[in-house]
Amino acid sequence: MSYLNIKLKKKLKFRLDLSQLIPDKIQKKKKAEIKTLQISYGNEKRSISDFFSISGALKNGIIFKGNLSKCDYIGNQMKNGEIIINGNTGNYLGNEMCGGRIIVNGSTSDYAGCSLQGGKVVIKKNTGDYLGSSQQGNKVGMSGGILLVYGNAGIRVGFKMRSGVIFIKGNVKDFLGNQMIAGTIIIKGKIGSNIGLLMKRGTIVIKDQKFLVPHFNYNGTNKYIFLKIMEFYLEKISKEFKNIFPSIYTKKYLGDINCKGMGEILVIS
Amino acid sequence: MIINGIKIEKTFAEAFPMKASRLIITAESKNWLKKAVDSMTGFATSVIACGCEGGIEKEIPPSKTPDGRPGMTVLLFAMNSESLAKQVLRRVGQCILTTPTTACFSGLETDEKINLGNAIRYFGDGFQISKRINNKRFWRIPVMEGEFIIEDKTSITSGIGGGNILIIGTSNKEVLKAGEAAVKEMKKIDNIILPFPGGIVRSGSKVGSKYKNLIASTNDAYCPTLKGITKTNLDKDIECVLEIVVDGINEKDIALAMKKGIRIICKKFNKGIKSISAGNYGGKLGPFHFHLRDIMK
């Protein structure tokens, strides 16, 4: 296994745009060329070598090291390959990503998996707001791929989500699945208020807990076989998903009734 | 060629190209699963009047089905893609959708796709839900029992219909017994089905008839009760002929199934059996010729 190691040399004062550093874009470049790639630092253009030391070879992917919490757009529009981040990252991780894999051994800021179209993003700790959402002003959010978060997530997870799967092991804050169009969100922990607000379609699966959904209609309990199909598929991707649905007998709420939505909240007991 | 006292006739089974599709049906229990697939493949013995030929290919353990429940694969064969697509929808719509607890999935991946849930979803009257899992679309159609899950599309592939063997013997009872044993053995082969009830057909046909409207009629050359008045292929002491028809996705598995069937008859059920033959139409019906003696080599 050989990776291109990119290590942050100094503490950043301004935000850094790392959208250039994806395996697709740099795989044919020599190391010297990579070092001179121009990236945005605040409002000026600087070389990568001003901030990072680069070693190794890009065969399997890229490993980022250091506190990258001010580095945005890592894995932007990535199509294949792998990025491993040993530390925290900034905003827009995996923005418009179509394929490949990103593993963050730390936390991320906001908009992780924003407009994600395919591939897999794994965040080992927490993530900020707008996970798997659309870019502000766009009509459609995440439209494919898988987002797996081991920790907690902020507000508006899956905002305008169109397709794909979001799985969060921890808790989420308010407005989960806000304006969701389709896709599946699975939350193992607790949820905040206003779940599924203006939700059109799609599925949110939560564990049994106290929550208020006046904008949803209760539709009784039943068995949902598709959850098993989903579990088998997710199990193949990661062992983390093994037995995520211990029971497929769930309560079902349909809404948001305010926008004649057919979105569903499934509550597993 | 004589094996264990049974003559293997120097002839061939003549088969023809068809289109095939495989579906995976699952259900909560084996009981309901069997009811669903039996109903779906029940009236699917011959393309002559059923629209398609169909049968159960094999059982699948829960660990290998898409939803972790008991499953069976079903193969359906028709003369062309259009009629196969029509038959698949009719049979799934009337037999699988209607049976409690069942679900329906595609069991084949080729470039030629036909609608499955994509057409049946309209039964949901707008309440149906689409779910995309692993680049496949599934439809969740609300029914009075809960939800019916069905995959959006299934694939079709080239198939072969009309592989066959004729078991010729001096006793009705022994021929039937030999046929049953052969069917049991042949069913162990993947990619094939035996479309007739219990895998055996007693009314083998010839092409055409003295009646203008009939495209097929009784194969009088093999009818033991007409030995004295027709150009018979049977010896005087023959009392019964039964046929096993084999449809399959490829030539290799059809030939293997025929071989296994003949072998078990010759090995263990040779009492009362005089010969094994096969039905053909002089090479005019189809391009696939399964020569019995070559198969048994």
Side-chain angles (χ1 to χ4, degrees):
Chain A
M1 300 286 270
S2 89
Y3 286 89
L4 187 72
N5 293 296
I6 302 178
K7 191 176 176 186
L8 189 66
K9 291 193 287 195
K10 57 183 178 188
K11 204 175 171 185
L12 299 171
K13 196 176 173 185
F14 303 111
R15 299 204 79 82
L16 200 58
D17 179 352
L18 291 186
S19 56
Q20 299 285 328
L21 285 178
I22 56 168
D24 316 69
K25 281 187 183 171
I26 61 171
Q27 63 187 356
K28 284 179 184 168
K29 287 187 165 51
K30 289 174 185 168
K31 213 179 277 179
E33 288 177 293
I34 296 170
K35 281 179 181 173
T36 55
L37 272 175
Q38 295 293 297
I39 51 173
S40 299
Y41 180 59
N43 58 1
E44 55 185 60
K45 291 276 182 191
R46 299 276 286 270
S47 295
I48 282 183
S49 58
D50 292 347
F51 306 99
F52 296 99
S53 63
I54 297 175
S55 63
L58 177 75
K59 202 175 174 186
N60 300 95
I62 301 170
I63 296 178
F64 286 99
K65 288 174 185 169
N67 184 6
L68 305 170
S69 53
K70 283 198 171 169
C71 295
D72 301 333
Y73 292 102
I74 295 176
N76 182 55
Q77 295 179 349
M78 181 168 148
K79 289 190 179 78
N80 49 52
E82 187 179 35
I83 292 178
I84 298 170
I85 302 151
N86 292 327
N88 299 336
T89 71
N91 298 324
Y92 292 101
L93 172 84
N95 180 58
E96 291 181 10
M97 175 177 160
C98 306
R101 189 165 64 159
I102 299 177
I103 298 168
V104 184
N105 293 313
S107 296
T108 76
S109 297
D110 303 336
Y111 289 99
C114 177
S115 299
L116 186 76
Q117 290 162 33
K120 183 181 161 192
V121 177
V122 181
I123 299 163
K124 293 280 175 77
K125 287 185 180 168
N126 301 327
T127 188
D129 301 337
Y130 290 95
L131 175 78
S133 73
S134 71
Q135 287 159 354
Q136 288 298 341
N138 282 3
K139 284 182 179 173
V140 176
M142 172 178 172
S143 59
I146 292 174
L147 279 168
L148 168 58
V149 180
Y150 283 62
N152 303 326
I155 61 161
R156 291 185 207 276
V157 168
F159 176 63
K160 294 184 184 175
M161 181 178 176
R162 176 73 178 78
S163 187
V165 179
I166 297 177
F167 177 74
I168 298 170
K169 278 187 105 175
N171 306 328
V172 291
K173 288 183 182 166
D174 304 344
F175 298 104
L176 169 65
N178 184 198
Q179 295 186 47
M180 193 170 163
I181 305 161
T184 308
I185 301 176
I186 305 156
I187 311 291
K188 293 296 266 185
K190 287 180 180 167
I191 55 160
S193 62
N194 286 313
I195 177 174
L197 198 68
L198 297 176
M199 188 175 173
K200 284 273 170 62
R201 280 194 177 246
T203 308
I204 299 174
V205 186
I206 56 172
K207 66 169 191 177
D208 207 359
Q209 56 192 290
K210 272 188 182 169
F211 69 106
L212 202 62
V213 276
H215 49 300
F216 273 68
N217 279 326
Y218 179 57
N219 283 268
T221 52
N222 215 309
K223 202 171 185 180
Y224 293 96
I225 301 292
F226 88 96
L227 291 175
K228 264 292 165 231
I229 303 172
M230 182 152 275
E231 184 177 297
F232 286 161
Y233 160 59
L234 294 173
E235 242 181 70
K236 281 181 200 158
I237 293 167
S238 168
K239 284 177 186 170
E240 283 298 322
F241 293 112
K242 197 167 184 184
N243 208 23
I244 51 166
F245 302 123
S247 165
I248 54 170
Y249 199 77
T250 74
K251 290 177 191 165
K252 179 177 175 174
Y253 296 83
L254 281 176
D256 180 343
I257 49 177
N258 294 321
C259 63
K260 293 180 182 168
M262 279 279 289
E264 58 181 358
I265 300 171
L266 300 179
V267 185
I268 298 175
S269 50
Chain B
M1 180 188 267
I2 293 172
I3 304 173
N4 222 4
I6 298 176
K7 187 183 176 192
I8 309 298
E9 301 275 2
K10 192 180 179 186
T11 187
F12 61 93
E14 190 176 356
F16 45 89
M18 293 184 97
K19 285 286 180 183
S21 186
R22 180 190 279 122
L23 296 174
I24 299 170
I25 313 297
T26 64
E28 203 59 44
S29 67
K30 281 189 181 179
N31 176 34
W32 283 110
L33 175 63
K34 192 80 175 51
K35 281 181 168 51
V37 292
D38 279 349
S39 153
M40 185 188 184
T41 59
F43 179 62
T45 54
S46 167
V47 280
I48 294 173
C50 304
C52 74
E53 296 182 8
I56 299 165
E57 184 195 14
K58 61 180 172 183
E59 252 186 69
I60 328 177
S63 59
K64 300 235 167 102
T65 58
D67 60 4
R69 304 186 302 164
M72 279 183 184
T73 56
V74 166
L75 288 174
L76 292 175
F77 294 80
M79 296 310 285
N80 54 53
S81 305
E82 293 73 33
S83 53
L84 182 61
K86 209 180 277 179
Q87 286 295 324
V88 166
L89 284 186
R90 279 185 185 168
R91 285 163 191 274
V92 172
Q94 298 305 310
C95 307
I96 306 301
L97 168 71
T98 53
T99 309
T101 79
T102 57
C104 180
F105 307 94
S106 170
L108 200 65
E109 274 302 323
T110 68
D111 291 335
E112 197 177 354
K113 305 277 182 199
I114 54 170
N115 284 343
L116 193 61
N118 193 278
I120 290 178
R121 69 181 159 127
Y122 293 109
F123 182 73
D125 200 24
F127 297 106
Q128 69 272 23
I129 298 171
S130 149
K131 213 26 84 190
R132 212 175 166 78
I133 303 171
N134 194 16
N135 291 326
K136 284 180 180 173
R137 188 181 293 282
F138 297 88
W139 288 99
R140 297 165 51 197
I141 302 168
V143 286
M144 293 186 334
E145 176 211 38
E147 268 187 358
F148 172 60
I149 303 281
I150 183 166
E151 203 168 321
D152 186 51
K153 303 252 178 197
T154 187
S155 297
I156 52 179
T157 185
S158 311
I160 300 164
N164 67 81
I165 58 171
L166 296 172
I167 309 161
I168 302 167
T170 53
S171 142
N172 253 305
K173 199 177 156 191
E174 298 300 339
V175 173
L176 187 59
K177 206 169 147 189
E180 286 169 355
V183 165
K184 199 175 169 190
E185 201 64 16
M186 291 163 89
K187 276 189 169 177
K188 291 177 185 168
I189 309 295
D190 287 353
N191 301 323
I192 64 119
I193 53 152
L194 312 175
F196 283 93
I200 302 172
V201 52
R202 67 173 180 180
S203 57
S205 58
K206 67 174 184 290
V207 178
S209 160
K210 70 181 262 190
Y211 303 107
K212 271 193 285 182
N213 295 337
L214 281 184
I215 56 165
S217 61
T218 192
N219 196 352
D220 51 82
Y222 285 95
C223 288
T225 54
L226 300 176
K227 280 194 297 254
I229 55 163
T230 58
K231 199 182 167 191
T232 187
N233 285 338
L234 306 176
D235 292 339
K236 279 181 183 170
D237 57 343
I238 298 302
E239 196 180 279
C240 177
V241 180
L242 289 177
E243 182 178 1
I244 299 176
V245 174
V246 193
D247 294 343
I249 285 176
N250 58 59
E251 274 181 276
K252 196 181 127 217
D253 289 318
I254 293 175
L256 182 63
M258 288 169 65
K259 184 180 182 177
K260 285 218 166 202
I262 296 170
R263 198 160 60 187
I264 194 79
I265 294 170
C266 295
K267 210 172 164 187
K268 290 185 180 171
F269 296 86
N270 58 343
K271 195 181 156 197
I273 309 298
K274 292 260 319 211
S275 62
I276 302 288
S277 187
N280 66 65
Y281 306 90
K284 289 174 194 163
L285 185 72
F288 304 104
H289 299 163
F290 297 93
H291 292 268
L292 296 184
R293 291 187 179 179
D294 291 343
I295 285 171
M296 295 313 292
K297 266 180 194 167

